[in-house]
Each structure stands twice: as structure tokens, then as C-alpha cells.
Amino acid sequence: MKKPQIIIVTGTPATGKTTIAKRLAKKQKATYIDVNLVIKKYKLVDKYDKKLKTNIVDVNKLNKVLIKIIKDYQNKKQSIIIDSHLSHYLPKKYVDLCIVTKCSLKKLQQRLNKRKYHQQKIRENMDAEILDVCLLEAILNKHKVKVVTT
Ligand SMILES: Nc1ncnc2c1ncn2[C@@H]1O[C@H](COP(=O)(O)OP(=O)(O)OP(=O)(O)O)[C@@H](O)[C@H]1O
Ligand SMILES: [Mg+2]
């Protein structure tokens, strides 16, 4: 039997993580893990930015919870796909593959505008994509990285 795979999907908001993660989970018969639900369930929101309508999450606490989830699925010999722009902060030893989603800046701007985010939040997300923040952090964290353009 094939070793269960732990795949994380990271990337700037609206670059297509959820779309890719769900598609891959279906294809590989893996369990899709929605980190937003994990954050809610385990109350991992530290602060709420009212102006930007954004939750600030404690990444150390999130990592602890995600590692527990990973171990549970490894014991069950099941593959999982973890969907979050915070997933690349997981230590490399728990992760087989890190997918980083990217899209053109034009598309990203259209997708973010559609969401009616605060102008500052759109700017911050555009900058994050221009600077490849998720990709660079994933590489710095020594993940095995695969870039997927949506
Ligand atoms: N491969 C694709 N082709 C066309 N449109 C796409 C593709 N992937 C994503 N999109 C569109 O881009 C938007 C954002 O996609 P998605 O919700 O998957 O992004 P996300 O990275 O999960 O965002 P968030 O970080 O907010 O959860 C959606 O409207 C989706 O339909
Ligand atoms: Mg998503």
C-alpha cells in the first residue's frame, strides 16, 4: 500500500487554494482539511482586525492542532490535503508536498475586487503575491514546493 501523503496548499488569498485542494483531494481520494473550520473549532483567533475584517491567528497554536490532525490521519493510513495560506508554517518533517497557488495579478485583482474587501486588504494581498511571500516562506521552510498557476 502507498504511504499516506500529507499535502499542504498555500498561496495568497484568492489564488485558488480551495479550488485546487478540493480537486486534488477528490482525485487522490484524500481527506480535504479546511483550516478555517479548524481555526473556528479550536478557537485559534488571537485578534480581530475590525477595519480589515480579518482574523489574526496564533500560528504556533494552529501548528500544534494541525500536527495532531496529521498524526491522527497518518495512524489511520489516510492521505490529507490541508488548505490554508498558513499551512506552509508547518514544520517540513510533517509534510510530503507543499503546493503554492499563484495567478496573474490581473486575475487576482479581479477576484479580490469581487470579494468587496477593504482597499487596504486588497493592496496587502496584491503585494504579497507580487513579492511571492507564501512561495518564499515555503522555500525558506525547506518544503518540497510545487507551484500551480490557476
Ligand atoms: N483554476 C481556476 N480557474 C478559474 N478560476 C479559478 C481557478 N481557481 C480559482 N478560481 C476562482 O478564483 C476565486 C478564488 O478561488 P479560491 O476560493 O479557490 O481561492 P483561495 O486561495 O482558496 O482563497 P482564500 O485564501 O480566500 O480561501 C474563485 O472565484 C474561483 O472560482
Ligand atoms: Mg480558500
Side-chain angles (χ1 to χ4, degrees):
M1 204 173 113
K2 256 175 81 180
K3 184 178 165 276
Q5 294 290 297
I6 310 300
I7 299 174
I8 60 177
V9 182
T10 187
T12 307
T15 50
K17 294 180 293 296
T18 302
T19 310
I20 293 291
K22 284 186 172 169
R23 201 183 289 166
L24 197 62
K26 210 170 169 188
K27 200 172 140 199
Q28 304 208 345
K29 296 190 172 54
T31 301
Y32 166 79
I33 308 280
D34 181 344
V35 174
N36 289 330
L37 291 182
V38 173
I39 288 168
K40 257 186 222 147
K41 183 173 170 192
Y42 292 89
K43 300 189 170 54
L44 301 174
V45 175
D46 242 8
K47 271 181 254 160
Y48 179 69
D49 187 320
K50 270 191 197 153
K51 184 177 149 202
L52 299 186
K53 298 199 183 86
T54 299
N55 289 326
I56 317 281
V57 173
D58 183 324
V59 175
N60 283 328
K61 281 190 209 159
L62 174 62
N63 271 350
K64 281 189 188 131
V65 173
L66 289 178
I67 288 167
K68 195 181 167 302
I69 292 172
I70 289 172
K71 285 179 177 170
D72 282 350
Y73 279 93
Q74 277 174 331
N75 287 336
K76 289 193 277 187
K77 308 239 178 297
Q78 276 180 34
S79 298
I80 54 174
I81 318 278
I82 300 175
D83 170 10
S84 172
H85 68 287
L86 302 172
S87 62
H88 61 272
Y89 296 124
L90 275 164
K92 178 198 154 40
K93 66 174 177 177
Y94 296 105
V95 177
D96 295 297
L97 176 67
C98 173
I99 293 175
V100 180
T101 51
K102 286 187 60 62
C103 72
S104 74
L105 295 175
K106 193 175 160 199
K107 266 192 199 160
L108 186 61
Q109 186 147 38
Q110 283 168 352
R111 291 179 190 176
L112 291 169
N113 280 334
K114 229 190 206 167
R115 290 179 175 191
K116 308 206 183 320
Y117 281 169
H118 190 286
Q119 235 7 78
Q120 187 183 327
K121 188 165 167 171
I122 294 181
R123 187 67 254 165
E124 284 175 8
N125 285 326
M126 292 295 290
D127 287 347
E129 183 64 9
I130 290 164
L131 296 171
D132 271 332
V133 173
C134 289
L135 176 60
L136 287 178
E137 287 179 348
I139 292 168
L140 282 175
N141 213 359
K142 307 239 184 321
H143 285 300
K144 180 181 168 196
V145 170
K146 184 179 175 209
V147 175
V148 173
T149 307
T150 68

